[in-house]
Amino acid sequence: MRLQLPPKVTRIIHTLQANGYEAYAVGGCVRDMILGRAPDDWDITTSAHPQQVKRIFLRTVDTGLAHGTVTVLLGEDSYEVTTYRIDGEYEDHRHPSHVEFSAELAEDLRRRDFTINAMAYNREQGLVDLFGGMEDLQKRRICCVGDARERFQEDALRILRAVRFSAQLGFSIESGTEEALRELAGSLACVSAERIQVELVKLLLSGHPEYVLRLFDMGIAPVALPEMAESALEAETLEKAAARLKKTPPQKALRLSVLLYPIGEKKAGQALRRLRFDNHTIDTARRLVRWHDYPLPEDPVAIRQAAAQMGEDLFPLVLQVQETYRDVSAVRGLWGEILQKGQCISLKSMCVSGNDLITLGMKPGRAIGECLGELFQDVLENPEHNTRQYLLECAKRKLEQ
Ligand code: ATP
Ligand code: MG
């Protein structure tokens, strides 16, 4: 089989070979090339040890020398070059006690998680497929390299990765692999929240976010999403969430919110914090859960009021969420007009500020906030009132009362 490697990847492989070492593109990039998908990154595996890699290339970064990884920089691009590796005993379902370098490509491929991720390629040797990766690609299935039970016991994150890859590729999970996965689902509890987060996000942002149902079906949810699993949601509720997920644009906060909507804002927040999401994502997803089913009226005043309450940034996202289960075209049209006319929907775009009220003679304090609030309500109802002159006069009248 002949695959088209990018010129810089070929250059790195040829340079290593010219220095007497073996080198191949490996893992995800080989899988994606065969499938005709654009690889995210290009990983290279080699018989050269990290110090040798560093000697051969001019610009390198010590990414993980202990694990054999050196990043080679070529122009603007960077490539991870990793020495053939054997992982030592796994002690705690997540970390090998040590890694050993190896002279054998086969050893390096054997430590990898799934057959479709365990193929190597270079132009000289062609495709190296020792574990039936090509066959599983053709059968469109995820299958562990070697004994599935052992592989999940070594590193429990692979349990979640199996579902993640099945969602990204639209693949099934091979029966032996699935059986082991169901049996060992609970051991995912040993894996850090950060690593779970990465895989969960990839699953949700994949072409098949609805495969998240497999987490519930296969007993992974009680560990990966306990806040949902413990809520004893009806099957129908989960299926509805899955159907909505499929229609949600692939953005992290949007899809997280649609997944977590059935458990409500508070529990959604707990789940996101436990999974160590960043504050911005937590805040956005929580607010989207809150407004998920808010009945947006088809009326410009009510829309401006709702947008003011949600926050201008959130309103278009709420529309995207609601679009997954109802027709929001009328609201979208009205929102478009509001934007196009530049109508005021936030206090900060009002033509008078607290300082203006102080200049008028109002005493700093609560009264100012209340007065601004009243003016803002007026402007939301009557956008044409958002002029300095009108609002200052209005404020003056209020001051005199
Ligand atoms: P992506 O498109 O998400 O980058 P990928 O296949 O490149 O997919 P990575 O997580 O980047 O996945 O890992 C690169 C390769 O390293 C995998 O293809 C696999 O061969 C190996 N690998 C990664 N994580 C594990 C793991 N937990 N256990 C065994 N092998 C792994
Ligand atoms: Mg990768």
Side-chain angles (χ1 to χ4, degrees), residues 28-29 31 40-41 43 202:
C29 64
R31 175 200 68 219
D40 273 346
D41 41 31
D43 294 325
K202 286 187 177 182

Side-chain angles (χ1 to χ4, degrees), residues 168-228:
Q168 284 181 323
L169 303 170
F171 280 20
S172 64
I173 299 176
E174 180 271 334
S175 61
T177 295
E178 182 182 332
E179 199 179 308
L181 190 158
R182 286 177 185 273
E183 190 180 310
L184 295 165
S187 60
L188 190 63
C190 303
V191 173
S192 74
E194 287 83 355
R195 290 178 82 204
I196 292 181
Q197 185 208 114
V198 169
E199 297 299 327
L200 188 65
V201 167
K202 286 187 177 182
L203 192 172
L204 285 177
L205 295 186
S206 73
H208 293 281
E210 74 279 13
Y211 282 28
V212 75
L213 287 184
R214 292 187 171 179
L215 301 183
F216 293 86
D217 175 46
M218 296 181 178
I220 304 170
V223 200
L225 291 165
E227 295 81 3
M228 288 195 82

Side-chain angles (χ1 to χ4, degrees), residues 160 186 188-198 200-201 204 215-216 220-231 256 259-260 263 265-279 281-283 286:
L160 190 51
L188 190 63
C190 303
V191 173
S192 74
E194 287 83 355
R195 290 178 82 204
I196 292 181
Q197 185 208 114
V198 169
L200 188 65
V201 167
L204 285 177
L215 301 183
F216 293 86
I220 304 170
V223 200
L225 291 165
E227 295 81 3
M228 288 195 82
E230 284 157 17
S231 297
L256 282 167
L259 171 69
L260 297 171
I263 58 172
E265 184 184 344
K266 194 164 153 228
K267 278 195 182 169
Q270 284 166 2
L272 295 165
R273 272 195 306 279
R274 183 185 48 74
L275 287 164
R276 306 274 157 89
F277 279 94
D278 60 281
N279 288 338
T281 302
I282 296 176
D283 179 59
R286 268 190 72 147

